[in-house]
Amino acid sequence: MAEEAYQKEEYLDAQAYARRAIQLADQLLAEQVDKTYTVILDPADRDCLWKISGKMYDNRTWMWPIIWRANKFQIVDPDLIYPDQVLKIPPALDKEP
């Protein structure tokens, strides 16, 4: 629908449709969970989404936004995660790095 509206030069409608699609995708992503990860407090080696992504996705640290988006209702700022938070870890969409 967003593409159709864009092609008709109905840009505000296209933008609204695209936003709604993103919201729906976020909801589906949040529901699609195979694993969880509990954030730990280790002052010598603090957890962050980048490190968690590397642990959960075979050293693919660049996939941290997938974890953030799946947990965006509890993680307001991706730089701030806290000990004992239980994060949903969605399955990786592919197996190749």
Side-chain angles (χ1 to χ4, degrees):
M1 291 170 51
E3 287 181 21
E4 289 175 18
Y6 184 81
Q7 290 172 356
K8 294 178 186 177
E9 297 183 3
E10 297 169 352
Y11 300 118
L12 293 178
D13 288 342
Q15 195 175 35
Y17 289 132
R19 278 194 195 111
R20 182 64 182 141
I22 290 170
Q23 289 173 340
L24 291 172
D26 284 345
Q27 287 175 348
L28 288 173
L29 184 61
E31 292 172 8
Q32 188 181 54
V33 176
D34 276 352
K35 302 176 188 176
T36 60
Y37 180 88
T38 302
V39 178
I40 57 172
L41 175 61
D42 180 357
D45 187 25
R46 294 179 50 187
D47 265 341
C48 66
L49 292 179
W50 182 76
K51 286 181 185 177
I52 294 168
S53 176
K55 291 176 188 176
M56 303 306 291
Y57 296 127
D58 300 320
N59 281 335
R60 293 182 285 173
T61 56
W62 53 269
M63 292 179 66
W64 70 265
I66 294 172
I67 298 171
W68 178 38
R69 290 185 72 97
N71 294 279
K72 72 183 231 174
F73 299 107
Q74 71 169 318
I75 302 174
V76 177
D77 182 340
D79 290 327
L80 300 175
I81 59 173
Y82 301 97
D84 298 323
Q85 272 185 304
V86 178
L87 304 179
K88 298 174 184 178
I89 308 296
L93 298 178
D94 63 2
K95 296 296 178 189
E96 294 297 317

